């Protein structure tokens, strides 16, 4: 069975072993593939693995031999699922491999906004503490999380772990999800209440037609002027120009983002020059531990498919 990995570099830049997948067939590995390279590279393959390569209907139409797409990620918004269904291509994703890592990064972003450890450290190393008249000083207001309300949009594998950390910080957790059901210690609320009541709004839902640009001018206007938006989900969950304006005009106080609408971003992305905005380059998933699990689970997905009992099929 010919297996083509179209964008393998970010999963395994050299610190992991492809062995779990190599055991399952004849594997061709590409670090990255440009859109115009996909069809030629995947031609004749029954299996392709992609992380962020976009497999549109137009591309899938040109791959008649393809039987299986293994997404080496949780989010699968880069695949045209309806187009894959027509010829019966099975698409699988990998759930929960990085939930702890993403929840950790969510708080890394939040703490970087409310404590500014890096900014203060840079100031100390620039000599400002040595020159200070007082034993302490701060360069930006510091905020205690205990007692604050965090509003989660999405309460699945990642949102649930974020909730546990928030509770450990003494925060009140409110949440909105697609299929609301009671969860101990968390108040389920409407989307409107998330925006109105939260000191921190954190996005943990998939990117779909229903969630695209859920952070927009109208919803930002409902938020407290002291509120923070966190996004470790997908960039297009946010209307970026609206968020940049809101940060500039003090409509909200800050944003911590691990994802942007285009990755890598274009130089003119308005968030790159927005105030009180912390951005990391889509690293939430990328701990060694999570990538190692991802490799193993992606191979297990393919193995189950090859045995005729596919698991983690997305629809
Ligand atoms: N930055 C990074 O490195 C990573 C980012 N991600 C992103 O995080 C997302 C979430 O991952 P994960 O928690 O594992 O996924 P899950 O499928 O476990 O959870 C998704 C949650 O989103 C909710 N949801 C779905 N549609 C809507 C909607 N229209 N409105 C509100 N809530 C909705 C679901 O609701 P319900 O449970 O009621 O159905 C569920 O609670 C992924 O889709 C991916 O895009 C994932 C991994 C790494
Ligand atoms: O797993 C995911 O959804 C990620 O974004 C990491 O590739």
């Amino acid at each position: 069975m010919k297996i083509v990995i179209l964008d393998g570099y970010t999963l395994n830049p050299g610190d992991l072993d492809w062995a779990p997948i190599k055991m399952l067939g004849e594997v061709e590995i590409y670090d990255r593939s440009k859109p115009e390279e996909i069809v030629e590279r995947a031609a004749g393959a029954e299996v392709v693995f992609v992380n962020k390569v976009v497999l549109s209907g137009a591309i899938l139409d040109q791959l008649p031999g393809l039987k299986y797409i293994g997404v080496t990620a949780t989010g699968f918004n880069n695949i045209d699922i309806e187009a894959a269904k027509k010829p019966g291509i099975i698409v699988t994703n990998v759930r929960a491999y990085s939930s702890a890592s993403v929840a950790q990064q969510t708080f890394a972003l939040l703490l970087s906004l409310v404590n500014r450890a890096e900014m203060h450290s840079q100031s100390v190393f620039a000599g400002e503490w040595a020159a200070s008249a007082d034993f302490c000083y701060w360069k930006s207001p510091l905020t205690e999380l205990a007692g604050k309300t965090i509003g989660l949009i999405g309460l699945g594998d990642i949102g649930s772990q974020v909730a546990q950390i928030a509770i450990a910080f003494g925060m009140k957790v409110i949440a909105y999800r697609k299929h609301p059901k009671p969860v101990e210690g968390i108040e389920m609320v409407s989307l409107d209440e998330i925006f109105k009541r939260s000191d921190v709004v954190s996005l943990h839902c998939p990117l779909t037609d229903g969630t695209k640009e859920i952070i927009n001018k109208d919803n930002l206007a409902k938020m407290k002027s002291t509120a923070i938006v966190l996004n470790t989900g997908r960039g297009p969950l946010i209307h970026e120009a609206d968020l940049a304006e809101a940060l500039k005009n003090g409509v909200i106080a800050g944003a911590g983002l691990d994802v942007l609408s285009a990755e890598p971003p274009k130089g003119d992305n308005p968030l790159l020059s927005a105030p009180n905005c912390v951005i990391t380059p889509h690293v939430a998933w990328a701990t060694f531990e999570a990538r190692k699990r991802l490799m193993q689970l992606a191979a297990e997905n393919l193995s189950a498919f090859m045995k005729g009992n596919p698991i983690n099929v997305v629809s």
Side-chain angles (χ1 to χ4, degrees):
M1 180 172 281
K2 182 175 167 189
I3 302 167
V4 176
I5 298 170
L6 285 167
D7 56 348
Y9 184 78
T10 54
L11 165 56
N12 179 13
D15 55 356
L16 290 176
D17 193 338
W18 289 108
I21 294 176
K22 280 185 171 165
M23 283 189 309
L24 299 172
E26 172 209 333
V27 183
E28 260 174 45
I29 302 169
Y30 297 96
D31 280 348
R32 17 189 111 70
S33 296
K34 294 184 186 139
E36 61 273 21
E37 292 170 333
I38 295 169
V39 171
E40 193 192 325
R41 290 179 173 183
E46 285 166 89
V47 172
V48 297
F49 279 104
V50 292
N51 186 329
K52 294 292 170 287
V53 157
V54 175
L55 294 179
S56 62
I59 285 180
L60 295 177
D61 283 347
Q62 297 172 70
L63 298 172
L66 189 60
K67 295 194 166 44
Y68 175 89
I69 299 169
V71 180
T72 54
T74 301
F76 51 88
N77 49 287
N78 50 322
I79 314 296
D80 186 334
I81 299 294
E82 290 310 311
K85 269 186 201 159
K86 275 183 245 152
I89 299 169
I90 296 289
V91 184
T92 67
N93 75 338
V94 182
R95 294 197 61 165
Y97 74 92
S98 66
S99 308
S101 294
V102 179
Q104 183 179 316
Q105 180 73 7
T106 303
F107 271 82
L109 291 167
L110 179 55
L111 292 171
S112 76
L113 286 159
V114 297
N115 283 82
R116 301 275 187 190
E118 196 158 340
M119 175 205 276
H120 285 104
S121 175
Q122 279 166 1
S123 147
V124 169
F125 282 98
E128 289 188 61
W129 198 12
S132 165
D134 300 301
F135 78 94
C136 94
Y137 65 95
W138 51 93
K139 305 211 42 101
S140 152
L142 303 165
T143 306
E144 186 171 84
L145 292 178
K148 299 289 187 301
T149 297
I150 186 167
L152 307 177
I153 300 180
L155 192 64
D157 292 319
I158 296 169
S160 301
Q161 296 222 16
V162 171
Q164 293 314 311
I165 299 173
I167 289 166
F169 267 100
M171 299 181 83
K172 157 100 186 152
V173 181
I174 62 177
Y176 170 77
R177 68 194 295 180
K178 198 169 176 187
H179 308 98
K181 49 184 175 241
V183 178
E184 207 188 318
I186 300 174
E187 186 185 343
M188 302 309 297
V189 300
S190 68
L191 192 55
D192 236 41
E193 280 182 273
I194 290 279
F195 291 117
K196 288 183 179 152
R197 288 175 54 190
S198 300
D199 298 296
V200 179
V201 171
S202 195
L203 303 177
H204 302 291
C205 54
L207 172 62
T208 63
D209 290 344
T211 59
K212 189 166 187 255
E213 296 179 355
I214 199 163
I215 300 294
N216 55 41
K217 197 175 178 180
D218 291 345
N219 286 334
L220 286 160
K222 296 173 194 163
M223 293 176 66
K224 301 179 185 179
S225 60
T226 50
I228 286 171
V229 167
L230 303 175
N231 188 10
T232 55
R234 283 290 181 268
L237 295 173
I238 291 180
H239 187 295
E240 293 178 333
D242 285 359
L243 176 59
E245 273 302 297
L247 291 168
K248 223 173 7 180
N249 298 328
V251 174
I252 65 163
L257 313 171
D258 185 52
V259 285
L260 290 175
S261 59
E263 298 176 348
K266 297 209 173 79
D268 63 356
N269 184 312
L271 291 169
L272 295 176
S273 52
N276 298 315
C277 189
V278 174
I279 306 179
T280 50
H282 203 142
V283 292
W285 67 293
T287 61
F288 177 77
E289 292 83 353
R291 287 184 294 105
K292 192 166 177 214
R293 273 192 296 272
L294 175 56
M295 176 77 81
Q296 185 58 37
L297 293 169
E300 286 174 20
N301 278 350
L302 175 56
S303 173
F305 165 77
M306 288 167 74
K307 289 178 184 146
N309 295 306
I311 54 173
N312 297 314
V313 177
V314 296
S315 54

